[in-house]
Amino acid sequence: MTNDDTDKRAGKGANALWGGRFAGGADDVMRAINASIDVDRRLADHDIDASLAHAQMLAACGVISSEDAKAIAKGLEDIRAEIAAGAFPFSAALEDIHMNIEARLTEKIGEAGARLHTARSRNDQVATDFRLWTRTALDRLGLQIEALQRALITQAEAHADTVMPGFTHLQTAQPVTFGHHCMAYVEMLSRDAGRLSDARARLNESPLGAAALAGAPYPINRDMTAETLGFAAPMANSLDAVSARDFVMEALAGLTICAVHLSRLAEEIVLWTSPRFGFARLSDRFSTGSSIMPQKRNPDAAELIRAKVGGMAGAFQSMVLMMKALPLAYAKDMQEDKAPLFRAVDDFELCLAAMTGMIGDLDVRPEAMAAAAGEGYSTATDLADWLVRELGLPFREAHHVTGRLVAEAERRDIALHELPVEAMKAVEPRIDERALGVLSPADSVASRTSYGGAAPVRVREQIARWKEKLG
Ligand code: ARG
């Protein structure tokens, strides 16, 4: 909330920053709908950084004096300290963070402050600030994704040999290992991180100096401000610079995709930790109890990760709908761009942290996984492959023979490897005892040695590759 909503500082009458054109002040409702300060105050540090770069450049180009630039720099650093100390008088009547800081600066240093807005507009200012904020956020997210990858790799290393059932359609399919399963997510997360770093590279150009939309009639140096702020270059078209928000959509799309991956893993944690599966147990740190059922250990964090994706996808959608029919250049609609990204990033960081914590603590139950891996005729394909390899049967025929053997085992209510060889021979006379050797889940997994396969040797290679990559 702002400190002084009625606000003498902004002038109860005409606005202090553009009052020249207006005789009276705005209606309270107008002020309320127009104000964004409660959201965009999060841009404060970046706004100050961009103003410092701008003032320094203006002085270097002779547009303002170096004394003024010094006074501006000092004033802005004082304001930064005021904000950090919680002593800054935020005002809704001053609309947004840009006008709040500028008005405060002029209050503090007088006329020099009023020169800061030369050769810029809030349009290039907000675009610059928001790109800087998004860039910082994407860098942070990249590191957090890496932390989750490390937690998964640690589990994968401990469980490279832990056999578990792999599913398709959530029906027992073929045995894999828990390590293999964890490494699948490491791969997914690396593509996610790649998407975010691509978005970062594309957004890293400076709008500053595009001014309102047409550029500035001063001998400014946009390369200089771009460089000071760590941008790769100034944006090449001033109209594009102030109206582009694809960087917000791209960031949201990237983090929504990653959140979908987190949600799939969250769903698996819910399944694995359910007593029906019993594949794993969540630590006390990441479980909740029930107020009425003392036996419960609920995976609330996993469920919330699953749920929060909706908000992130919604944020992406609200950006798309907001932008889709805006003519160039700036329109006030675009002020609504910040809340969705801020909230999505906040939620996403929390989801990443919670998932990293859950995975790190996850207590895997290899016996339960192994028992389940042997159920549901999970090695039927291995038998079919044996028939192909050893007897030279075409795969289709081997599939048919194996299907009959599964039906026979099912009729007797026993596992495939419990089927007497005679019963097998009754279906296919050339089968012998050697076929039994491929029917255990561990043998099945060990045989999957193709590149990227579930065999522990291959999983260990994946782990080694990733440990080297992440350093
Ligand atoms: N608070 C505004 C925003 O976030 C700043 C830009 C306002 N520009 C304008 N011409 N009204 O979009």
Side-chain angles (χ1 to χ4, degrees), residues 36 40 96 98 122-123 126 330 332 334-335 337-338:
S36 58
D40 61 28
D96 58 23
H98 323 292
R122 275 190 298 158
N123 296 350
V126 71
Y330 179 85
K332 200 58 178 267
M334 288 155 72
Q335 178 164 281
D337 59 358
K338 282 158 225 84

Side-chain angles (χ1 to χ4, degrees), residues 248-249 251-260 263 305-321 340-341 343-345 347-348:
V248 184
M249 290 184 262
L252 281 170
L255 68 85
T256 301
I257 294 171
C258 183
V260 168
S263 177
I305 289 170
R306 208 168 53 180
K308 280 180 188 293
V309 187
M312 294 177 218
F316 172 71
Q317 198 161 359
S318 67
M319 271 306 293
V320 169
L321 295 180
L341 186 63
R343 163 134 196 240
V345 168
D347 278 348
F348 187 53

Side-chain angles (χ1 to χ4, degrees), residues 175-198:
V176 294
T177 69
F178 186 63
H180 194 49
H181 201 110
C182 289
M183 293 311 290
Y185 280 97
V186 171
E187 295 288 336
M188 289 146 86
L189 289 166
S190 101
R191 291 193 297 276
D192 295 332
R195 265 182 283 274
L196 297 184
S197 75
D198 286 351

Side-chain angles (χ1 to χ4, degrees), residues 163-167 172 277 279 366-378 441:
V163 174
M164 74 181 277
F167 300 93
T172 305
F277 274 71
F279 286 3
E367 328 72 53
M369 285 185 175
E375 287 167 8
Y377 305 104
S378 66

